[in-house]
Amino acid sequence: MTSKPSSKSPGQHSNIVALILAAGYSRRFGSQDKRAETFDGKTLLCHTITLLQRHFAEVQVVIRAEDYTERLGVPPDTQVIRAQKAHLGQAQSMAEGFCALVDRCPPEVTSAAVFLGDMPFIGLQTLNMVCAAAEENRIVRPIYKATPGHPVVFGRHFWEDLSALSGERAGLGFVQQNRQSLVNIPVDDPGSCRDINCPQDFPSR
């Protein structure tokens, strides 16, 4: 289930939609839901969403069907996709996200930049570099010190296939299977690889 897309804002990446995957169960984090953990007065997920809303005209976030957006700190104007089968793994949530994008994005949206909900430290230069390289038939990702990072930008050519993903690490496998279309962008941005996996990873609150 999706809400209606918001209107585009001038000066942003109007032909690229940002898709945030935030339907995970944070099993490595412990008993708490890290998406709702706060620093600087906002939840982790809210930090990620607000970062991207400054730079993309359209931001959509994938959460679990049963989630309360208020508890997660999802801003009211955020487009939400509720993954009905999030328990089957990240690839399933990603597939449901792309199913929604296929149905709802107008033809002028040519790519989707996939982010993780626990990565609020990606730099603006990284966003601009990967988005500048995006094309309908490309997969683009940043590389920091030989490590692949986020966002991974998938051209619209791949959306139908992505909507059929399944399994826990199928997204990475999809990139490897389509490496002839892959463009790696070297970046000097540790934030492109920095996610929150345990409470100690949070900045000082």
Side-chain angles (χ1 to χ4, degrees), residues 33 36 48 63 83 85 88 113 121 142 161 195:
D33 188 341
T48 301
I63 58 176
K85 299 180 180 179
L88 297 180
F121 307 111
D161 289 339
D195 56 354

Side-chain angles (χ1 to χ4, degrees), residues 107-125:
E108 60 265 26
V109 178
T110 58
S111 299
V114 176
F115 297 83
L116 303 183
D118 60 357
M119 297 186 68
F121 307 111
I122 299 171
L124 174 58
Q125 185 176 19

Side-chain angles (χ1 to χ4, degrees), residues 14-85:
S14 59
N15 66 325
I16 300 176
V17 58
L19 181 67
I20 305 172
L21 304 182
Y25 285 83
S26 309
R27 293 184 176 94
R28 289 182 293 172
F29 193 76
S31 60
Q32 302 298 315
D33 188 341
K34 71 177 176 183
R35 301 172 302 169
E37 288 287 296
T38 59
F39 65 97
D40 293 339
K42 296 190 294 188
T43 67
L44 172 61
L45 182 55
C46 183
H47 274 283
T48 301
I49 293 170
T50 54
L51 166 70
L52 300 183
Q53 286 180 332
R54 290 196 294 267
H55 305 297
F56 290 87
E58 189 69 54
V59 176
Q60 303 216 14
V61 57
V62 183
I63 58 176
R64 299 175 217 151
E66 69 274 15
D67 279 330
Y68 291 96
T69 55
E70 296 85 357
R71 178 176 176 273
L72 298 179
V74 177
D77 59 340
T78 305
Q79 307 305 312
V80 172
I81 301 167
R82 293 189 177 274
Q84 303 300 314
K85 299 180 180 179

Side-chain angles (χ1 to χ4, degrees), residues 42-192:
K42 296 190 294 188
T43 67
L44 172 61
L45 182 55
C46 183
H47 274 283
T48 301
I49 293 170
T50 54
L51 166 70
L52 300 183
Q53 286 180 332
R54 290 196 294 267
H55 305 297
F56 290 87
E58 189 69 54
V59 176
Q60 303 216 14
V61 57
V62 183
I63 58 176
R64 299 175 217 151
E66 69 274 15
D67 279 330
Y68 291 96
T69 55
E70 296 85 357
R71 178 176 176 273
L72 298 179
V74 177
D77 59 340
T78 305
Q79 307 305 312
V80 172
I81 301 167
R82 293 189 177 274
Q84 303 300 314
K85 299 180 180 179
H87 62 283
L88 297 180
Q90 185 184 89
Q92 179 63 41
S93 299
M94 186 171 172
E96 293 189 51
F98 273 99
C99 280
L101 297 187
V102 168
D103 288 342
R104 301 190 65 82
C105 285
E108 60 265 26
V109 178
T110 58
S111 299
V114 176
F115 297 83
L116 303 183
D118 60 357
M119 297 186 68
F121 307 111
I122 299 171
L124 174 58
Q125 185 176 19
T126 296
L127 297 180
N128 288 338
M129 290 172 69
V130 295
C131 288
E135 293 183 5
E136 191 162 352
N137 294 306
R138 280 183 177 177
I139 301 171
V140 183
R141 67 182 180 185
I143 299 290
Y144 174 69
K145 294 185 176 179
T147 300
H150 281 82
V152 183
V153 184
F154 294 94
R156 194 159 187 154
H157 171 79
F158 302 99
W159 289 13
E160 290 281 358
D161 289 339
L162 287 163
S163 68
L165 286 178
S166 62
E168 184 59 38
R169 297 180 61 81
L172 178 60
F174 185 89
V175 172
Q176 294 171 338
Q177 291 164 13
N178 292 277
R179 55 186 174 273
Q180 73 280 1
S181 302
L182 177 64
V183 176
N184 289 316
I185 305 294
V187 298
D188 185 20
D189 179 15
S192 66

